[in-house]
Amino acid sequence: MLPVSHYLILSLALFIIGVVGVLTRRNVIVILMSIELILNAVNINLVVFSRLYGDAAGQAFAVFIITDAAAEAAVGLGIIIAFFRNRETVLADEMDLLKW
Amino acid sequence: MTHGLQELLKAVLASPYTLPVIYGVVIVAVLPLVAGYVVLVERKVMADMQARLGPMRVGPHGLLQPIADAVKLLLKEDIIPEKADVWIFWLAPLVSVTAGMLALAPVGIGPAFQIARDINVGILFVAGISSLGIFGIVLGGWASNSHYSLMGALRSAAQLVSYETAAGMALVSGLLLGGSLQIRALVEEQAKQGVWFVALAPVAFFIYLVASIAETNRAPFDLPEAESELVAGYMTEYSGFRWSLYFLAEYANMMVVGSVATTIFLGGWLRPFAGVGGAAGTALDCLPGALLLGVAGYCLYRAPKQPVAVQKLVMVAVAGLCAALAAALLAPVFVAQALWMKPGIHGAFWFLLKVGGYIYLFMWLRFTLPRYRFDQLMRLGWYFLIPVSIVNVMGIGIALVLHWERGMHLALALGLTTLMTLAVAGVLVRAELKREEQLRQGAAGDAYAG
Amino acid sequence: MLDKVIFYFFAAIAVGSALLMITRRSAVHSAIFLTTTLLATAGIFLQLRAEFLFIVQIILYVGGIMVLFIFVIMLVNLDVAAQQIQYSRQKWVALALALALAGQVGAMLWRAGKLPGQGLLVRGVPAAESLPPNAEAVARSLFGPYMLSFEIASLLLLVAMIGAVVMAKKKV
């Protein structure tokens, strides 16, 4: 049987990759995708601990996180479309006006 | 040496992975052939409905046409557009075809032939994996770098996302009645209740039928590949082998939705009147064999009338094949030693017959109905099918609660809630008709509206 | 043995395509690699016998969210964005910070391994035979103690749907 630490390290790796993506990329769509990756890394932790303790509550929380990710993607992509329509760009550092 | 080989063979046979692997290889190997013959049947049905003969040249009555088509497709030049995104262009058809085939894994073709037997989420697995096929379509359309392809891909994405909801809700109705996600448990529940769920949830079956046609991009919902508007939609830039992969994926998807509908609504591998035993049961068990014997006899009768000697031979061979199948179907009924094979063989026959009937329904609709306009398609999905399917799920839930908690007869409760659903559907249809009437009156004043 | 092979196979795919995801220039390529990562994670869920979550991951994440992403990428013309500089000015600081975070959590994991009895990190996950049917277990949890959270989640989805429609509408 695989020890839990293997799963935790995998989850950590995915999480850090997601953080690097959020912090370094300029394209908002890729930033949004990196956030999805971070949420996904959290899910691995929840599932492996749910399995470890034999309690399905962890998986129920993973379902909630996926729901959250769906909501976030829908709103985020809606914002991106609206933004692109107004400014013709998807680069994060050009989103520098409070109102236009 | 032979001893070691025997040991190895024994170990392989005892392994729980052997049978599923064999079944998987069989499915992957047979599916292209089956798809080819479904195309032939489709062309023949189309020809029949249009009072033509259809393919007649290759083999007797065009029986070898699929093989000729396959050879032609494999030998064709494989063109990749210059500005295409090469590796996505290369990957996309593979995604489609893989999703279509993988979705067949937990499908039970008869009680004996099922690859992923214990998967806990059976029907969800089929629905979920087959929905991955959309990636192949969208990516293929995007990677071709062509306007027609991109338009087809966008239409396809919108269409699939819209109709997936309605199809899912229809499946939920069946799952509520069956009380499980596992395919085996669903079929056994239908055997226990002695009724196919299509009789208990006719509205759900209808919604699933419409949504599954839309999901497989078949006429009258074939807008993603509408040849008169978009050349061939997302497949415009594809040719040769890659194009045939898309084609294979489309037919695999038809089989997948047919299998899902059969499993949930049409009793899976159960015989009609599965509970009937005795002499009547034996007579029903003889039916498949008798049917095939009839086909064999007809082939023999037609054989001398074929123009070429080779065609006569092929016809006799087909008759022999049918007779052998009939023998395999009849033997377990009459020979006691072969009785153990009966559920597997007869289950597979009935399952395939039902899936075939479902696919025939697809063809029939394709040749009967004209294509929808895109806004009509979206309206049908969002303003009619999704609301009705949600009301239907609620209705079936209410009926089940009435049955379990209040002891009301299940048929009565379901009948009442079905009437409720139909009333809601009627209201929606009336609203839609009114809207169209208003549009028409508005358009009458505008000479250029069209 | 088979369990280990499956885990390392999917883990390698997940990490590899995640790395590719954040480095690709074209957003469509990024989306494909993210999809691969998500599918590999679904494989790991299956390896953990979380069948329900495996299929939820595929239907919702891959079949829903990623299709939405690709759809938006096609609606939004990204040819210009793909020509420009991909990384922001603070990339080196950000990378250093992220690596520091990784080091911190990694050190925590390493120190947890040195606790008496080595903590829970070396405990293997229990055998598959002792598990109840997964879909039922999750449903009991979702509709039992977490019923309220479930309803709140559906409310969240409703709000997000309205929000997305309002955002993407041409003229408000």
Side-chain angles (χ1 to χ4, degrees):
Chain A
M1 279 284 111
L2 279 160
V4 172
S5 53
H6 284 48
Y7 295 95
L8 297 187
I9 290 168
L10 168 68
S11 154
L12 174 64
L14 290 180
F15 183 84
I16 293 297
I17 293 172
V19 169
V20 171
V22 170
L23 292 181
T24 58
R25 290 296 300 247
R26 290 174 81 204
N27 190 330
V28 187
I29 295 181
V30 179
I31 292 179
L32 212 53
M33 286 198 258
S34 302
I35 296 175
E36 302 289 333
L37 187 62
I38 293 176
L39 292 172
N40 194 46
V42 175
N43 272 353
I44 296 180
N45 268 7
L46 281 171
V47 174
V48 74
F49 279 118
S50 144
R51 180 73 194 285
L52 181 66
Y53 293 117
D55 183 354
Q59 294 178 35
F61 272 89
V63 172
F64 290 143
I65 288 187
I66 293 180
T67 317
D68 183 49
E72 177 232 305
V75 176
L77 291 172
I79 293 175
I80 289 176
I81 289 184
F83 183 76
F84 185 79
R85 202 173 277 140
N86 284 320
R87 297 288 303 268
E88 293 285 315
T89 177
V90 289
L91 298 180
D93 44 10
E94 290 183 13
M95 299 186 177
D96 49 3
L97 294 177
L98 288 175
K99 191 173 190 295
W100 62 82
Chain B
M1 187 59 210
T2 47
H3 187 70
L5 264 181
Q6 268 181 355
E7 287 293 306
L8 186 68
L9 200 65
K10 224 177 250 173
V12 166
L13 281 179
S15 153
Y17 301 109
T18 310
L19 219 52
V21 167
I22 293 175
Y23 286 166
V25 170
V26 166
I27 286 217
V28 171
V30 168
L31 198 68
L33 191 72
V34 174
Y37 273 93
V38 172
V39 174
L40 177 68
V41 170
E42 183 161 15
R43 290 173 69 179
K44 281 289 187 188
V45 170
M46 169 158 55
D48 189 49
M49 286 184 187
Q50 298 168 350
R52 300 184 282 119
L53 282 174
M56 290 295 280
R57 296 277 167 174
V58 192
H61 291 265
L63 269 179
L64 300 178
Q65 183 75 38
I67 294 158
D69 281 347
V71 170
K72 182 199 79 172
L73 282 173
L74 290 181
L75 294 181
K76 256 188 166 176
E77 187 188 352
D78 187 11
I79 301 165
I80 296 184
E82 206 166 283
K83 288 201 173 168
D85 196 320
V86 175
W87 74 268
I88 297 183
F89 191 82
W90 179 87
L91 180 81
L94 285 180
V95 172
S96 264
V97 84
T98 311
M101 284 191 179
L102 196 60
L104 284 171
V107 167
I109 306 170
F113 192 102
Q114 192 177 13
I115 299 173
R117 199 166 282 244
D118 313 322
I119 187 157
N120 199 284
V121 286
I123 227 65
L124 273 186
F125 183 92
V126 183
I129 297 286
S130 68
S131 73
L132 292 188
I134 187 183
F135 269 95
I137 292 176
V138 171
L139 291 177
W142 180 82
S144 308
N145 202 2
S146 143
H147 288 296
Y148 291 124
S149 301
L150 190 64
M151 281 303 296
L154 283 177
R155 279 185 177 189
S156 175
Q159 178 174 333
L160 261 83
V161 170
S162 311
Y163 279 79
E164 201 121 292
T165 318
M169 284 289 172
L171 287 188
V172 168
S173 320
L175 297 177
L176 276 177
L177 291 167
S180 175
L181 290 170
Q182 273 174 308
I183 286 182
R184 181 167 299 266
L186 278 168
V187 175
E188 275 162 10
E189 183 69 21
Q190 294 183 62
K192 207 179 82 190
Q193 297 192 6
V195 58
W196 297 352
F197 288 156
V198 63
L200 298 182
V203 181
F205 179 70
F206 175 76
I207 291 171
Y208 188 75
L209 177 67
V210 176
S212 63
I213 296 173
E215 275 191 50
T216 45
N217 293 335
R218 301 276 304 176
F221 304 124
D222 61 342
L223 289 130
E225 45 195 276
E227 56 281 291
S228 50
E229 303 163 25
L230 291 177
V231 192
Y234 59 90
M235 301 196 279
T236 304
E237 304 293 339
Y238 281 86
S239 61
F241 182 60
R242 278 175 241 286
W243 182 84
S244 60
L245 283 184
Y246 268 130
F247 215 67
L248 181 58
E250 182 178 332
Y251 280 83
N253 271 330
M254 272 166 71
M255 285 169 216
V256 168
V257 293
S259 310
V260 171
T262 304
T263 306
I264 292 191
F265 294 111
L266 299 177
W269 54 75
L270 300 177
R271 192 188 66 192
F273 308 105
V276 176
T282 313
L284 276 171
D285 276 341
C286 291
L287 217 61
L291 188 73
L292 279 175
L293 274 183
V295 175
Y298 185 70
C299 284
L300 278 183
Y301 165 72
R302 295 290 298 184
K305 303 188 176 173
Q306 298 304 314
V308 190
V310 184
Q311 297 199 342
K312 285 177 190 163
L313 264 179
V314 173
M315 213 62 176
V316 173
V318 172
L321 192 68
C322 286
L325 278 177
L329 278 165
L330 286 174
V333 183
F334 294 109
V335 185
Q337 283 88 350
L339 194 64
W340 60 275
M341 294 194 296
K342 193 186 146 204
I345 294 179
H346 278 245
F349 175 83
W350 286 115
F351 187 85
L352 294 177
L353 189 73
K354 287 171 191 171
V355 175
Y358 197 77
I359 293 176
Y360 178 77
L361 200 59
F362 273 29
M363 296 175 185
W364 191 359
L365 290 171
R366 174 178 169 186
F367 306 132
T368 311
L369 299 172
R371 185 182 297 131
Y372 274 61
R373 224 171 44 222
F374 198 69
D375 62 316
Q376 290 172 331
L377 178 85
M378 284 292 140
R379 283 197 82 83
L380 177 68
W382 286 101
Y383 287 75
F384 184 72
L385 282 183
I386 292 178
V388 172
S389 63
I390 291 173
V391 171
N392 188 41
V393 168
M394 291 197 302
I396 284 179
I398 293 170
L400 283 176
V401 169
L402 284 177
H403 175 60
W404 288 331
E405 312 261 311
R406 297 295 163 90
M408 194 191 251
H409 196 270
L410 186 60
L412 179 66
L414 279 170
L416 284 178
T417 52
T418 304
L419 281 181
M420 178 187 89
T421 314
L422 288 178
V424 172
V427 170
L428 288 172
V429 168
R430 271 195 59 175
E432 202 66 7
L433 287 177
K434 210 179 202 175
R435 179 180 166 274
E436 259 176 35
E437 188 61 34
Q438 277 173 356
L439 275 183
R440 209 171 297 138
Q441 277 169 1
D446 183 359
Y448 293 101
Chain C
M1 179 55 206
L2 192 62
D3 249 17
K4 273 189 186 164
V5 173
I6 291 174
F7 172 77
Y8 287 123
F9 176 71
F10 282 127
I13 292 182
V15 173
S17 47
L19 279 173
L20 285 168
M21 190 272 275
I22 60 164
T23 50
R24 288 304 94 186
R25 190 166 273 272
S26 150
V28 174
H29 290 194
S30 283
I32 292 174
F33 283 117
L34 179 58
T35 311
T36 319
T37 306
L38 294 174
L39 284 175
T41 317
I44 285 172
F45 290 164
L46 196 58
Q47 189 258 338
L48 282 166
R49 309 297 192 281
E51 289 156 323
F52 184 69
L53 212 59
F54 155 77
I55 204 65
V56 165
Q57 170 105 354
I58 286 182
I59 292 180
L60 265 174
Y61 245 129
V62 181
I65 299 176
M66 288 320 293
V67 170
L68 199 63
F69 265 103
I70 291 182
F71 199 80
V72 168
I73 292 171
M74 288 178 179
L75 283 180
V76 176
N77 185 8
L78 288 176
D79 291 345
V80 185
Q83 309 286 328
Q84 283 162 324
I85 301 168
Q86 294 297 310
Y87 299 100
S88 49
R89 270 167 298 171
Q90 75 274 17
K91 59 188 171 218
W92 295 116
V93 183
L95 198 62
L97 274 176
L99 288 181
L101 181 63
Q104 209 172 4
V105 182
M108 196 195 75
L109 279 177
W110 186 69
R111 285 192 47 163
K114 288 172 68 174
L115 288 175
Q118 291 179 309
L120 50 78
L121 295 183
V122 289
R123 272 167 60 185
V125 286
E129 288 74 34
S130 59
L131 292 175
N134 183 256
E136 280 91 328
V138 176
R140 268 178 218 296
S141 193
L142 265 184
F143 296 107
Y146 300 109
M147 188 70 204
L148 183 66
S149 326
F150 183 81
E151 295 297 337
I152 294 173
S154 52
L155 198 67
L156 173 74
L157 276 184
L158 180 68
V159 172
M161 192 174 76
I162 296 172
V165 169
V166 170
M167 276 316 162
K169 232 179 167 166
K170 274 210 175 89
K171 292 268 174 346
V172 181

